[in-house]
């Protein structure tokens, strides 16, 4: 059959929805649709009605949004969807593929679903170990694997609300661990007694020292004994709420990264924006810089598309 000239990428997370019409050869994004209709919200809407099945309800939403992409070409179209759409609150639940998984994505569980006469939805599973699960990050990792060494060991870091540290060896992803760094930061900042002592503000190098002080506490596994010190810093030392904010950020990031101090593998960092600067700063505070590789933003931004295209290739060749 061969690859189509274009394919449609679906990135449907818990809180947000995104469709992109992609030129296959160049991975150029031709058009895009974004909404706040995340999987959780869509599932709630589905439960409020009785007319449509779960699969039909999600398919209807997809078709409605597809009309906004402006793709009117005749012929078969392919939509590749990874992440939460294959969860129990998504369109159709697929079992997790068990680690290890190949850099090519071979072995991931998928299902081809016909939606109408001219659209095939390729639904891709998540991945698991005996102790952890993920849906979506494995496709990003597969996309980034083109820039990972095909022999030897390493650790791929995907920071976020639920950061993933993925260990790889000789062209296969072997194991991973999830760190709830971003979510813990949000919960502490909004709902704990410390919330009155924290204030978000744009990052500045002026906060380097206080951030790295927090990193060191986290790396030394002192975060539980140091959390309340944020309150004390405000009351006794009159530290600013912004300084406290970056101290807490450093402490949680340091705790996430602390296991790396006892390992010898090269660390590959894949994150953009301010998190890239903060994670680099934290890593360089206790690791030799020769052990740290930071991907360029363009590589990270196209990783999901590259991963989805690899999965599509296994179905249309």
């Amino acid at each position: 059959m061969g690859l189509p000239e274009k394919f449609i990428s679906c990135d449907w997370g818990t809180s947000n929805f995104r469709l992109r019409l992609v030129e296959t050869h160049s991975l150029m994004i031709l058009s895009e649709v974004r909404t706040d209709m995340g999987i959780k919200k869509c599932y709630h809407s589905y439960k409020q009605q009785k007319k449509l099945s779960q699969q039909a309800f999600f398919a209807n939403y997809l078709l409605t949004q597809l009309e906004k992409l402006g793709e009117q070409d005749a012929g078969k179209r392919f939509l590749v969807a990874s992440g939460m759409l294959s969860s129990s609150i998504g369109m159709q639940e697929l079992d997790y593929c068990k680690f290890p998984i190949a850099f090519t994505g071979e072995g991931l569980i998928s299902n081809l679903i016909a939606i109408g006469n001219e659209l095939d939805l390729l639904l891709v599973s998540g991945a698991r170990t005996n102790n952890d699960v993920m849906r979506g990050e494995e496709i990003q990792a597969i996309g980034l694997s083109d820039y990972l060494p095909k022999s030897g060991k390493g650790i791929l870091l995907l920071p976020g609300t639920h950061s993933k540290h993925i260990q790889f060896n000789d062209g296969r992803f072997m194991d991973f661990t999830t760190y709830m760094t971003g979510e813990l930061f949000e919960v502490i900042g909004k709902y704990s007694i410390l919330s009155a002592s924290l204030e978000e503000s744009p990052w500045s190098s002026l906060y380097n020292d206080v951030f790295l002080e927090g990193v060191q506490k986290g790396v030394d596994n002192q975060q539980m004994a140091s959390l309340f010190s944020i309150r004390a810093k405000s009351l006794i030392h009159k530290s600013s709420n912004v300084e406290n904010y970056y101290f807490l950020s450093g402490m949680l990031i340091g705790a996430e990264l602390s296991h790396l101090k006892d390992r010898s593998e090269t660390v590959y960092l894949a994150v953009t924006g301010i998190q890239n600067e903060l994670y680099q700063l934290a890593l360089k505070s206790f690791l030799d810089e020769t052990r740290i590789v930071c991907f360029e933003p363009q590589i990270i931004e196209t990783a999901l598309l590259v991963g989805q295209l690899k999965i599509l290739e296994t179905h249309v060749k």
Side-chain angles (χ1 to χ4, degrees), residues 105-154:
E106 185 178 357
L108 282 177
I109 300 168
S110 60
N111 190 19
L112 197 62
I113 303 172
I115 301 179
N117 295 323
E118 298 296 339
L119 177 65
D120 280 347
L121 167 63
L122 181 58
L123 189 63
V124 187
S125 69
R128 72 171 182 89
T129 65
N130 287 332
N131 303 303
D132 213 334
V133 297
M134 61 180 167
R135 285 193 188 272
E137 294 93 346
E138 72 288 339
I139 304 300
Q140 186 182 7
I142 289 166
L144 291 168
S145 69
D146 288 349
Y147 304 93
L148 299 175
K150 302 303 184 288
S151 62
K153 297 180 179 181

Side-chain angles (χ1 to χ4, degrees), residues 160-174:
T161 304
H162 300 147
S163 298
K164 309 294 182 184
H165 293 200
I166 308 175
Q167 299 172 37
F168 63 87
N169 185 21
D170 292 343
R172 295 198 302 169
F173 296 109
M174 305 301 296

Side-chain angles (χ1 to χ4, degrees), residues 13-84:
T14 303
S15 304
N16 295 285
F17 171 88
R18 178 172 62 175
L19 278 183
R20 290 179 286 183
L21 178 62
V22 183
E23 186 177 67
T24 302
H25 175 70
S26 66
L27 292 183
M28 179 186 297
I29 299 170
L30 303 175
S31 59
E32 181 173 319
V33 174
R34 291 174 181 256
T35 77
D36 65 353
M37 182 61 83
I39 286 289
K40 187 175 181 180
K41 186 175 179 180
C42 194
Y43 181 74
H44 179 74
S45 297
Y46 154 69
K47 296 295 285 185
Q48 300 306 304
Q49 57 86 55
K50 302 294 183 183
K51 183 179 178 181
L52 297 175
S53 68
Q54 188 167 337
Q55 181 169 313
F57 189 87
F58 278 86
N60 272 7
Y61 186 80
L62 276 172
L63 290 170
T64 299
Q65 301 308 312
L66 279 168
E67 292 178 1
K68 301 176 184 178
L69 275 181
E71 167 64 331
Q72 302 297 330
D73 291 354
K76 179 70 73 175
R77 296 180 296 167
F78 289 92
L79 189 156
V80 186
S82 51
M84 293 300 293

